[in-house]
Amino acid sequence: MAAEFKKTIVQVTQTVTTPTTTAAQQNINNNNVETASWQSAHPTLRERNALMFNNELMADVHFIVGPPGESEKVPAHKYVLAVGSSVFAAMFYGDLAEGESEIHIPDVEPAAFLILLKYMYSDEIELEADTVLATLYAAKKYIVPALAKACVTFLETSLEAKNACVLLSQSRLFEEPELTQRCWEVIDAQAELALRSEGFCEIDLQTLEIILRRETLNTREAVVFQAVLDWAVAECKRQGLGPTTRNKRAVLGKALYLVRIPTMTLEEFADGAAQSDVLTLEETHDIFLWYTAANKPKLDFPQTRRKGLTPQRCHRFQSSAYRSNQWRYRGRCDSIQFAVDKRIFIAGLGLYGSSGGKAEYSVKIELKRQGVILAQNLTKFVSDGSSNTFSVWFEHPVQVEQDAFYTVSAVLDGNELSYFGQEGMTEVQCGKVTFQFQCSSDSTNGTGVQGGQIPELVFYS
């Protein structure tokens, strides 16, 4: 899968010791136990039950798991599986119970099936990036909701722009609405990163069409068009076709006409879509006329601009002021720490400008967590002499997790004195998001919780 996650271990109860090997690697076999009283070495029911996982000892059923040529034989115990899954209960003890000693399961990956069984024998869940989606499929197939929930939680906490489109496709397949909503939050806020990711090129056609219909994609249409071209090339390869104009249009079908080409600027269209080989000469000609002619031709492409997302602003000061000897900038750093109670996407900062008339500032802004730089940008802004705030933006919105402190910094370069904030608040409620602020040791220009620069955080939620 294109999704890239870190390994995590979820323990359903606290009495189980985490193993050092993965479920796929572990193959306990006690057929050679020397003593007949091996049970006495394992005093709890859980220990004895866990010892039976993937164990030939007393096994009364075997599964041939995986597609032909890649399958593995897995021993199991009917009673244990029936207690943990209504599907297995019906399979072994229902009216249509199967009598075979070997049961073939070609549609489940062996590693995922072992993770499923391990949970049913021991209440222990060990998930990894490579198998979490296959494990979710197995948990859904055999109706094991606790394992399915653990898989969804794993995916939600590992979700980022580069895997959001793939997980959107999978969340729809598995009918997981909460995971679907989280995918949309990431795709909307970090649309450019999501659409340019390798994972975007791996989605199915239906998911592609759903994304292209999305009103809240927060990116330029030129980015959307290029992503569609990249997807078409990848789809041709999957189908064993050459990436010719005809083949790319064929695999795209009506999805091509979900791109809102007329909402590009004329320059974007001329430098990009008009020079691609996907549009016909007639389409290219008509779009150029649509941009320039008074009598505009009818187009097959949507002409309404996407709504995108509206930035929200967390303002942390109750008033602002200026004095003749401050706030001055000579390359020193203004910095503040913040935490939120809900995952958001930081898009930029609102800064104070000159208190003495129109002035231009260059500024380097930065976002860090535990000393690691997550984003930075070197840009400029022009202030008009008012106490308004002036927005500066990161190149891409940055995902910020809940209940962790982050540091935002701004190093301004300008000759003019500026306004500064007063009566700062340690906690600010912005819609459904609560911000907490604390002073940063990076701040060398006087900014803190009570006063200074960086009056606003600009974000999407």
Side-chain angles (χ1 to χ4, degrees):
M1 291 291 176
E4 295 181 13
F5 316 109
K6 293 182 178 179
K7 177 178 175 180
T8 188
I9 295 176
V10 181
Q11 288 205 328
V12 178
T13 57
Q14 297 179 352
T15 57
V16 179
T17 302
T18 302
T20 57
T21 57
T22 66
Q25 295 169 328
Q26 187 172 11
N27 188 357
I28 301 172
N29 191 315
N30 289 308
N31 290 334
N32 296 321
V33 174
E34 294 182 0
T35 174
S37 60
W38 57 267
Q39 295 89 340
S40 61
H42 304 278
T44 68
L45 175 62
R46 168 167 295 160
E47 288 177 322
R48 294 192 295 273
N49 216 38
L51 198 65
M52 293 296 101
F53 161 68
N54 204 13
N55 195 332
E56 289 287 353
L57 185 63
M58 294 185 283
D60 54 1
V61 66
H62 289 80
F63 295 93
I64 309 302
V65 187
E70 301 176 15
S71 61
E72 294 182 18
K73 189 173 183 179
V74 179
H77 307 79
K78 293 180 179 180
Y79 168 76
V80 175
L81 302 192
V83 168
S85 162
S86 59
V87 175
F88 283 125
M91 182 185 296
F92 299 136
Y93 301 109
D95 294 336
L96 300 176
E98 298 186 17
E100 294 87 352
S101 60
E102 287 190 354
I103 299 173
H104 290 261
I105 309 178
D107 59 327
V108 176
E109 293 182 11
F113 191 73
L114 286 170
I115 292 171
L116 171 73
L117 262 59
K118 184 166 189 142
Y119 167 69
M120 299 175 76
Y121 277 82
S122 66
D123 275 353
E124 186 178 308
I125 304 173
E126 187 172 339
L127 300 174
E128 294 186 27
D130 293 342
T131 54
V132 63
L133 288 172
T135 304
L136 177 57
Y137 173 77
K140 288 279 189 175
K141 176 173 182 171
Y142 293 105
I143 312 180
V144 184
L147 179 58
K149 184 177 180 180
C151 291
V152 171
T153 299
F154 180 100
L155 293 169
E156 286 180 346
T157 56
S158 306
L159 182 60
E160 53 188 334
K162 62 184 177 182
N163 58 40
C165 295
V166 170
L167 292 185
L168 175 68
S169 177
Q170 297 297 325
S171 68
R172 293 177 51 253
L173 175 65
F174 293 129
E175 297 181 342
E176 289 289 344
E178 291 184 8
L179 179 57
T180 299
Q181 179 57 36
R182 278 287 299 117
C183 290
W184 278 128
E185 291 173 6
V186 174
I187 293 170
D188 283 342
Q190 297 181 302
E192 186 168 345
L193 293 175
L195 296 183
R196 287 180 172 173
S197 69
E198 292 182 6
F200 177 80
C201 293
E202 297 181 8
I203 62 177
D204 58 278
L205 178 60
Q206 186 178 13
T207 302
L208 174 69
E209 293 177 352
I210 290 172
I211 292 175
L212 295 180
R213 290 191 178 95
R214 187 78 173 172
E215 283 289 335
T216 43
L217 284 181
N218 203 42
T219 191
R220 296 175 295 112
E221 205 64 23
V223 173
V224 177
F225 182 82
Q226 184 57 52
V228 168
L229 291 187
D230 294 340
W231 182 91
V233 171
E235 182 64 16
C236 285
K237 185 176 181 180
R238 280 191 290 270
Q239 295 188 21
L241 304 172
T244 63
T245 297
R246 181 176 180 178
N247 288 340
K248 285 188 284 189
R249 287 182 68 96
V251 298
L252 283 169
K254 65 181 180 180
L256 176 62
Y257 297 99
L258 296 175
V259 183
R260 306 183 186 194
I261 292 177
T263 67
M264 299 179 190
T265 65
L266 176 56
E267 183 179 5
E268 285 177 328
F269 175 70
D271 291 341
Q275 298 186 43
S276 74
D277 60 353
V278 170
L279 300 181
T280 66
L281 287 175
E282 182 180 0
E283 288 168 342
T284 302
H285 176 265
D286 286 349
I287 294 171
F288 268 123
L289 286 179
W290 189 90
Y291 280 112
T292 57
N295 186 19
K296 299 183 183 299
K298 182 180 178 181
L299 300 179
D300 293 325
F301 299 92
Q303 300 167 27
T304 305
R305 190 177 300 277
R306 299 180 197 273
K307 295 177 181 178
L309 296 177
T310 302
Q312 301 178 61
R313 297 175 184 272
C314 174
H315 197 92
R316 66 188 191 91
F317 295 126
Q318 299 180 69
S319 65
S320 61
Y322 69 90
R323 300 193 184 108
S324 60
N325 63 342
Q326 63 184 100
W327 206 264
R328 191 180 297 277
Y329 306 100
R330 291 174 180 170
R332 292 189 293 262
C333 180
D334 289 289
S335 182
I336 194 73
Q337 288 193 326
F338 73 95
V340 290
D341 64 347
K342 180 180 181 292
R343 185 184 287 111
I344 64 169
F345 301 86
I346 292 291
L349 309 177
L351 302 176
Y352 287 122
S354 169
S355 57
K358 184 177 179 179
E360 181 179 83
Y361 292 87
S362 8
V363 56
K364 179 183 179 181
I365 58 173
E366 194 172 79
L367 175 66
K368 296 192 299 186
R369 179 180 178 182
Q370 296 178 341
V372 177
I373 297 174
L374 303 179
Q376 58 183 195
N377 195 22
L378 183 60
T379 185
K380 294 181 178 181
F381 71 94
V382 177
S383 64
D384 58 8
S386 72
S387 60
N388 295 332
T389 59
F390 301 89
S391 298
V392 289
W393 306 90
F394 292 110
E395 185 178 0
H396 302 288
V398 183
Q399 184 167 280
V400 166
E401 302 295 337
Q402 65 187 48
D403 302 328
F405 272 96
Y406 292 76
T407 303
V408 285
S409 303
V411 178
L412 286 86
D413 185 10
N415 294 325
E416 298 293 338
L417 297 173
S418 82
Y419 288 89
F420 59 92
Q422 297 184 130
E423 301 178 275
M425 297 172 282
T426 57
E427 184 171 298
V428 181
Q429 185 74 32
C430 292
K432 297 181 179 180
V433 184
T434 301
F435 286 78
Q436 290 184 324
F437 293 96
Q438 67 182 26
C439 293
S440 167
S441 59
D442 291 348
S443 192
T444 57
N445 200 41
T447 289
V449 173
Q450 297 302 316
Q453 258 286 10
I454 316 180
E456 286 181 342
L457 301 182
V458 186
F459 69 99
Y460 303 116
S461 63

Short mmCIF file of all heavy atoms in Angstrom, two decimals, residues 6 22 31 52 140 199 252-253 263 270 277 297 330 344 391:
data_model
loop_
_atom_site.label_atom_id
_atom_site.label_comp_id
_atom_site.label_asym_id
_atom_site.label_seq_id
_atom_site.Cartn_x
_atom_site.Cartn_y
_atom_site.Cartn_z
N LYS A 6 3.68 4.20 11.05
CA LYS A 6 4.58 3.61 12.03
C LYS A 6 3.90 2.44 12.70
O LYS A 6 2.70 2.39 12.84
CB LYS A 6 4.98 4.67 13.08
CG LYS A 6 5.82 5.79 12.50
CD LYS A 6 6.21 6.76 13.59
CE LYS A 6 7.09 7.88 13.05
NZ LYS A 6 7.46 8.85 14.09
N THR A 22 6.44 -10.20 15.57
CA THR A 22 5.15 -9.88 14.98
C THR A 22 4.32 -11.14 14.88
O THR A 22 4.82 -12.26 14.94
CB THR A 22 5.33 -9.30 13.57
OG1 THR A 22 5.86 -10.32 12.73
CG2 THR A 22 6.25 -8.10 13.59
N ASN A 31 4.19 -29.14 20.34
CA ASN A 31 4.03 -30.59 20.20
C ASN A 31 5.15 -31.37 20.87
O ASN A 31 5.03 -32.55 21.16
CB ASN A 31 3.98 -30.97 18.71
CG ASN A 31 2.69 -30.49 18.08
OD1 ASN A 31 1.69 -30.34 18.77
ND2 ASN A 31 2.71 -30.25 16.77
N MET A 52 -2.05 -21.45 22.81
CA MET A 52 -2.65 -22.26 21.76
C MET A 52 -2.69 -21.55 20.42
O MET A 52 -3.00 -22.16 19.39
CB MET A 52 -4.08 -22.65 22.16
CG MET A 52 -4.16 -23.61 23.35
SD MET A 52 -3.41 -25.22 23.00
CE MET A 52 -1.82 -25.02 23.83
N LYS A 140 -13.50 -7.12 9.52
CA LYS A 140 -14.84 -6.86 9.02
C LYS A 140 -15.50 -8.15 8.52
O LYS A 140 -16.68 -8.41 8.78
CB LYS A 140 -14.77 -5.85 7.87
CG LYS A 140 -14.44 -4.43 8.30
CD LYS A 140 -15.68 -3.73 8.81
CE LYS A 140 -15.44 -2.26 9.04
NZ LYS A 140 -16.67 -1.55 9.43
N GLY A 199 0.12 8.23 -3.65
CA GLY A 199 -1.12 7.55 -3.28
C GLY A 199 -2.31 7.98 -4.10
O GLY A 199 -3.22 7.18 -4.36
N LEU A 252 -9.94 7.98 -18.27
CA LEU A 252 -10.54 9.06 -17.48
C LEU A 252 -12.06 9.13 -17.66
O LEU A 252 -12.80 9.34 -16.72
CB LEU A 252 -9.92 10.41 -17.85
CG LEU A 252 -8.55 10.71 -17.28
CD1 LEU A 252 -7.94 11.93 -17.94
CD2 LEU A 252 -8.62 10.90 -15.78
N GLY A 253 -12.52 8.92 -18.90
CA GLY A 253 -13.95 9.00 -19.16
C GLY A 253 -14.50 10.36 -18.75
O GLY A 253 -13.90 11.41 -19.01
N THR A 263 -11.84 27.84 -14.51
CA THR A 263 -11.53 28.63 -13.31
C THR A 263 -10.04 28.87 -13.14
O THR A 263 -9.63 29.58 -12.22
CB THR A 263 -12.08 27.93 -12.04
OG1 THR A 263 -11.36 26.71 -11.81
CG2 THR A 263 -13.57 27.63 -12.18
N ALA A 270 -2.83 28.47 -20.41
CA ALA A 270 -1.93 28.51 -21.57
C ALA A 270 -0.65 27.74 -21.31
O ALA A 270 -0.13 27.05 -22.19
CB ALA A 270 -1.62 29.96 -21.93
N ASP A 277 -1.64 16.88 -23.88
CA ASP A 277 -2.15 16.17 -25.04
C ASP A 277 -3.51 15.54 -24.77
O ASP A 277 -4.00 14.74 -25.57
CB ASP A 277 -1.16 15.09 -25.48
CG ASP A 277 -0.91 14.07 -24.38
OD1 ASP A 277 -1.40 14.28 -23.25
OD2 ASP A 277 -0.22 13.06 -24.64
N PRO A 297 -18.16 30.59 -26.12
CA PRO A 297 -18.72 29.30 -26.55
C PRO A 297 -19.18 28.48 -25.35
O PRO A 297 -18.75 28.70 -24.22
CB PRO A 297 -17.55 28.64 -27.27
CG PRO A 297 -16.33 29.20 -26.60
CD PRO A 297 -16.69 30.62 -26.26
N ARG A 330 15.40 43.91 14.79
CA ARG A 330 16.79 43.90 14.31
C ARG A 330 17.25 42.45 14.18
O ARG A 330 18.30 42.07 14.68
CB ARG A 330 17.69 44.68 15.28
CG ARG A 330 17.41 46.18 15.25
CD ARG A 330 18.20 46.92 16.30
NE ARG A 330 17.90 48.36 16.25
CZ ARG A 330 18.31 49.22 17.19
NH1 ARG A 330 19.01 48.81 18.23
NH2 ARG A 330 18.00 50.51 17.09
N ILE A 344 -5.86 20.32 13.94
CA ILE A 344 -6.09 21.41 13.01
C ILE A 344 -4.95 21.46 11.99
O ILE A 344 -4.02 20.65 12.05
CB ILE A 344 -6.18 22.77 13.73
CG1 ILE A 344 -4.86 23.12 14.42
CG2 ILE A 344 -7.36 22.81 14.70
CD1 ILE A 344 -4.77 24.54 14.94
N SER A 391 -1.48 38.98 7.16
CA SER A 391 -1.27 37.53 7.08
C SER A 391 0.00 37.19 6.31
O SER A 391 0.29 37.78 5.26
CB SER A 391 -2.47 36.86 6.41
OG SER A 391 -3.65 37.06 7.17
#
